[in-house]
Amino acid sequence: MSKENKDQGMTGKNVLVVGGGAAGMMAAVCAAGQGSKVILFEKNEKTGKKLYITGKGRCNLTNACEQDKFFDHVVTNGKFLYSAFYQMDNQSVMEFFEQSGLKLKQERGERVFPLSDHSSDVIAALDRQMEKRHVQVKLHRPVKNLLIKRGKDGADRVGGVKLENGEEIFADAVIVATGGKSYGATGSTGDGYGFAREAGHTVKQIRPALVPFTVQEEWCMRLQGLSLKNVSVLLQKDKKKIYEGFGEMLFTHFGVSGPLILSASSFYVKKYDNMPVQLFIDLKPALSKEQLDKRLLRDLEENKNKQFKNALDKLLPAKLIPVIVERSGILPEKKAGEVTRQERSNLIETLKRLCLTVTGTRGFQEAIITQGGVNVKEINPSTMESKLVKGLYFAGEVLDVDAVTGGFNLQVAWSTGALAGMSAAKEKEEN
């Protein structure tokens, strides 16, 4: 028995958590809260390294939408999350953090942030809760592999972990919460997929998700740095809708990004990864074509003696005007008052259906999350326990579950982590 097992004694249920991110810390807190002796292993120098950079350092920790609307925002395997979500739903998450001394606020889209706008305060709240429950946090301790043994009943069960330094730590249950493969610099290097495979699990193909698009059109690059709010996009392949949404987007040196595009990307990579598809941008979704025509008539009349290229400054951002003029086919130097009805119709079509050809996505280094992971058909959704190896649990992004932007993926981490932790704490009595 290792020294760490001696430190924790042999009276309670011994639970090991691999990974000190959102799911792992919540799992540790919940397991310890049920009376288990918990050790958390984190290979980095501190916990919550990926949490620290989420939401541009502000940490969009959940979404306050109505509970029955939550699953509308899950892209992959939403039904698998039912038990986990109702064990710790979004209201429970907000209460947990507020009771931990973290003041929260809601922003557009019911996104929930710490009032301080500092993700470090979210991590500090989790660290406090782990300390309060006597969780032993072992930093700089990468896990090499799981210890799996065949029980007297002929079933495989987990017996602990082996660290990179060769040390073996024994336990009644192990929770794998190692994250995915996005933002590898934070420690999310796909370790958990290897642990899953050595336990006999299948791992669904992993892809970068919530990730910017690359596009074919060169004119898009001229708009680099331009952010558009309150636009809608339609992503489609051969007239089949892949995604439709409303929000904010950003033009980049390689294509498009921003919250709206990131959400669209998760639906794209699921079925059309690296295939060319059409992205239509409605720059004026609040106006029908008829309303937009009236607005254009007014603007063109007010600027009738100006050149057409100088008559759109009230309608569009300055950086966008040359591109729209070019795409409309109207001569830039034409007098605004001379624009014909047909030309106006072409301009409206350009404004309502500005088209880009998506050619693919950026890689894992720019992806917020990973799509794919441990096959959820091999996980008990009521406990997060492996159906193949007793006492082995999975939580968070390592699972084949993902959602759109807006705090939903962190909610998945909290929910699955909490359920895994509570289940692992009960596990010794039930087996």
Side-chain angles (χ1 to χ4, degrees):
M1 183 173 68
S2 77
K3 181 179 182 298
E4 281 157 6
N5 284 100
K6 288 178 181 176
D7 288 345
Q8 64 180 352
M10 296 300 292
T11 55
K13 303 171 192 69
N14 300 324
V15 177
L16 306 182
V17 179
V18 186
M25 286 192 281
M26 184 60 80
V29 167
C30 291
Q34 296 288 317
S36 284
K37 308 292 180 69
V38 180
I39 304 176
L40 182 147
F41 296 102
E42 170 53 54
K43 66 181 180 182
N44 286 316
E45 74 284 0
K46 59 184 178 182
T47 55
K49 206 163 179 182
K50 186 177 176 184
L51 259 180
Y52 186 75
I53 62 170
T54 58
K56 297 178 180 176
R58 297 174 60 222
C59 193
N60 178 191
L61 58 91
T62 189
N63 191 287
C65 69
E66 293 179 18
Q67 292 181 4
D68 58 346
K69 300 288 185 187
F70 172 79
F71 298 100
D72 295 341
H73 298 88
V74 179
V75 178
T76 309
N77 293 320
K79 289 182 179 179
F80 172 78
L81 290 172
Y82 287 173
S83 293
F85 182 72
Y86 290 116
Q87 180 68 55
M88 178 171 263
D89 60 23
N90 48 358
Q91 296 301 319
S92 302
V93 167
M94 289 186 278
E95 288 170 15
F96 169 84
F97 281 105
E98 286 170 341
Q99 289 168 6
S100 302
L102 184 70
K103 292 184 178 178
L104 305 176
K105 63 178 178 179
Q106 284 187 41
E107 296 188 3
R108 180 176 50 81
E110 298 180 287
R111 296 171 300 156
V112 178
F113 292 88
L115 185 62
S116 65
D117 280 332
H118 293 146
S119 56
S120 55
D121 291 337
V122 177
I123 300 164
L126 288 159
D127 284 338
R128 283 196 302 272
Q129 289 294 339
M130 288 195 293
E131 185 177 1
K132 179 181 175 183
R133 290 165 170 78
H134 308 294
V135 174
Q136 295 181 55
V137 177
K138 304 294 181 180
L139 302 174
H140 293 294
R141 297 289 185 89
V143 170
K144 184 176 183 179
N145 54 258
L146 305 176
L147 300 176
I148 297 172
K149 58 188 179 182
R150 183 64 53 88
K152 292 178 181 177
D153 57 358
D156 285 345
R157 68 168 301 117
V158 74
V161 301
K162 184 176 182 178
L163 305 182
E164 289 281 3
N165 64 11
E167 188 177 6
E168 294 185 345
I169 315 293
F170 304 105
D172 302 304
V174 174
I175 301 170
V176 175
T178 48
K181 205 173 179 181
S182 57
Y183 291 132
T186 66
S188 298
T189 50
D191 301 355
Y193 306 133
F195 299 150
R197 289 189 184 103
E198 71 177 281
H201 282 278
T202 52
V203 176
K204 295 283 188 176
Q205 181 181 355
I206 61 168
R207 300 182 180 92
L210 296 186
V211 62
F213 281 141
T214 54
V215 303
Q216 180 177 298
E217 287 77 7
E218 291 183 6
W219 60 258
C220 180
M221 301 9 166
R222 286 155 49 195
L223 300 175
Q224 179 182 347
L226 176 63
S227 178
L228 298 177
K229 294 182 178 179
N230 303 319
V231 297
S232 64
V233 300
L234 170 65
L235 194 67
Q236 64 181 41
K237 172 72 172 174
D238 301 327
K239 297 188 178 180
K240 181 180 179 181
K241 184 172 79 171
I242 302 169
Y243 174 83
E244 191 170 17
F246 174 86
E248 185 176 342
M249 64 172 286
L250 172 72
F251 291 95
T252 69
H253 66 284
F254 53 78
V256 285
S257 187
L260 186 55
I261 298 301
L262 298 181
S263 288
S265 74
S266 285
F267 293 89
Y268 168 75
V269 298
K270 196 170 179 65
K271 288 186 178 179
Y272 301 94
D273 197 19
N274 291 319
M275 294 172 62
V277 302
Q278 306 309 121
L279 177 71
F280 295 99
I281 306 167
D282 186 345
L283 297 166
K284 298 293 173 183
L287 300 176
S288 66
K289 287 186 177 182
E290 293 74 17
Q291 291 170 323
L292 184 55
D293 191 32
K294 289 178 182 177
R295 166 73 190 270
L296 279 172
L297 272 171
R298 188 171 72 244
D299 286 0
L300 295 172
E301 178 61 28
E302 286 176 3
N303 297 282
K304 61 184 178 182
N305 294 319
K306 286 186 179 181
Q307 291 181 332
F308 170 63
K309 65 180 181 181
N310 298 321
L312 301 175
D313 55 330
K314 288 184 180 179
L315 188 69
L316 297 168
K319 200 169 190 175
L320 186 57
I321 291 172
V323 168
I324 294 300
V325 170
E326 184 181 288
R327 306 306 297 169
S328 72
I330 303 171
L331 291 172
E333 292 77 21
K334 188 170 190 172
K335 289 283 180 70
E338 296 175 2
V339 172
T340 67
R341 184 175 186 177
Q342 182 58 51
E343 288 174 328
R344 217 168 57 240
S345 178
N346 294 343
L347 176 58
I348 290 168
E349 186 67 16
T350 303
L351 293 168
K352 297 291 283 182
R353 282 176 67 85
L354 183 62
C355 183
L356 285 167
T357 306
V358 172
T359 55
T361 67
R362 302 290 274 183
F364 280 109
Q365 72 278 9
E366 292 179 45
I368 294 176
I369 61 160
T370 305
Q371 189 172 98
V374 179
N375 188 348
V376 298
K377 290 181 180 178
E378 300 164 358
I379 305 296
N380 183 339
S382 300
T383 60
M384 295 294 124
E385 186 178 20
S386 164
K387 292 179 180 178
L388 310 181
V389 178
K390 291 185 177 181
L392 177 61
Y393 297 79
F394 292 89
E397 198 178 334
V398 71
L399 292 163
D400 182 23
V401 180
D402 64 282
V404 298
T405 57
F408 299 101
N409 286 289
L410 269 180
Q411 179 62 50
V412 170
W414 309 131
S415 294
T416 57
L419 182 56
M422 289 183 225
S423 303
K426 298 173 184 175
E427 184 265 344
K428 190 177 178 183
E429 292 177 345
E430 294 173 357
N431 289 290

